[in-house]
Amino acid sequence: MTQKHVLVVGAGQMGAGIAQVAASAGMRVTLVDVGEEQLARGLAGIEASLAKLASKGQCDDPDAVLARIATSTDLTAAADAQLAIEAASEDVELKLALFRQLDAALNAAAVLASNTSSIPIGRLASATQRPAQVCGMHFMNPPALMPLVELIRGLETSDATVATVRATAEAMGKTVAEARDVPGFLANRMLLPMLNEAAFCLYEGVGDAEAIDTVMRLGMSHPLGPLALADLIGLDTCLAILEVLHDGFGDPKFRPCPLWRQYVEAGRLGRKAGRGFHEYR
């Protein structure tokens, strides 16, 4: 596994975190994004995260980890990668376009994985000429700290592909839970309705944001309240997942609370914007 070359597409919060996890496991990583600014921001985040882990005695050599991460704006820079992990925004058309590009740019033996949190893997696989080598590899946020990877097998995904993705995740120190390829899979099929109900409680004036989060933290022993967790995930991402669930199942229980769209359109995206359901300094 330490000889594995992993391509990570997207240098945002999730992509940079996945690149850090892979490099920390000794893998060679190429991190790709559309511009140098995005790549520089992603690397800065990785460097800060490694420094924090080192200060706690949880990373022995941050410089060695960083040295295993190369960056590029060109997918063909990682044409020899054995595994690609797509970690772009939760936008189905964007992901479909990326899977077409990955299929063309990478060697025929490469496995193509998506970090999507809700979009059906079979739909992404249909954009390639290698559907048996496409799989879901859903990391939790933040990838460097959360021990779970949700593995999603598409309709055409082969046993060999599942074994490769499972072995890679375990080499990264993750525990793997396998889910069927349905909208939201396991994690967000359960999580997002709770976050949505918390948003409805705020929308209907049942309680303010602090009260809602306090009830779940102190009453249910959740480390973060649901609205604070939504801010961490990103309100735009939460809205996108809820729309996938609502469209995919046609069930009104997944209908997004109007607050999601109102906040997203106002630029209140959560922690990354400095303001969501809560304010961040």
Side-chain angles (χ1 to χ4, degrees):
M1 280 295 170
T2 57
Q3 301 305 312
K4 184 178 280 290
H5 182 189
V6 177
L7 164 63
V8 180
V9 183
Q13 186 175 25
M14 291 302 296
I18 294 167
Q20 176 185 329
V21 168
S24 296
M27 300 172 193
R28 183 162 63 97
V29 178
T30 300
L31 181 62
V32 172
D33 211 318
V34 293
E36 296 295 340
E37 181 182 349
Q38 290 88 338
L39 291 167
R41 191 161 52 240
L43 279 178
I46 294 170
E47 190 169 1
S49 175
L50 290 171
K52 189 171 183 179
L53 291 172
S55 71
K56 298 178 179 179
Q58 297 172 358
C59 179
D60 295 332
D61 194 345
D63 291 337
V65 175
L66 283 168
R68 286 191 284 271
I69 303 174
T71 62
S72 179
T73 57
D74 185 357
L75 291 175
T76 60
D80 65 337
Q82 293 99 343
L83 172 66
I85 305 173
E86 171 274 313
S89 301
E90 199 71 356
D91 180 312
V92 66
E93 295 303 325
L94 172 61
K95 289 182 184 291
L96 287 169
L98 282 172
F99 268 78
R100 293 187 195 100
Q101 293 169 31
L102 287 167
D103 192 37
L106 269 63
N107 65 88
V111 168
L112 310 182
S114 177
N115 184 57
T116 180
S117 50
S118 62
I119 297 168
I121 298 304
R123 186 169 182 188
L124 300 179
S126 71
T128 77
Q129 299 300 311
R130 59 179 95 190
Q133 293 160 242
V134 177
C135 192
M137 192 178 188
H138 179 209
F139 289 78
M140 304 297 119
N141 188 20
L145 301 180
M146 299 296 281
L148 178 69
V149 164
E150 189 177 28
L151 191 160
I152 304 96
R153 181 196 291 260
L155 182 64
E156 306 292 344
T157 306
S158 69
D159 290 343
T161 295
V162 169
T164 294
V165 172
R166 178 181 289 275
T168 304
E170 290 175 347
M172 294 176 178
K174 303 302 184 185
T175 298
V176 176
E178 189 169 337
R180 285 180 53 210
D181 188 20
V182 296
F185 318 128
L186 278 172
N188 284 319
R189 172 81 175 270
M190 296 184 284
L191 176 64
L192 264 295
M194 182 187 74
L195 303 189
N196 198 37
E197 196 60 34
F200 268 116
C201 285
L202 182 64
Y203 181 65
E204 295 169 3
V206 180
D208 63 18
E210 189 61 37
I212 291 165
D213 280 354
T214 298
V215 165
M216 296 304 287
R217 282 190 299 104
L218 302 186
M220 315 301 170
S221 294
H222 289 201
L224 276 179
L227 300 180
L229 178 56
D231 282 346
L232 177 63
I233 295 168
L235 272 59
D236 52 339
T237 300
C238 290
L239 175 59
I241 296 168
L242 282 164
E243 288 176 334
V244 168
L245 289 168
H246 192 226
D247 291 345
F249 290 109
D251 191 326
K253 74 180 181 181
F254 297 117
R255 176 176 65 91
C257 173
L259 271 186
W260 296 107
R261 189 171 304 282
Q262 183 180 1
Y263 279 33
V264 168
E265 289 177 349
R268 293 175 61 162
L269 305 181
R271 283 182 178 268
K272 60 188 174 186
R275 194 179 186 198
F277 290 117
H278 299 279
E279 294 195 11
Y280 303 90
R281 302 298 181 189

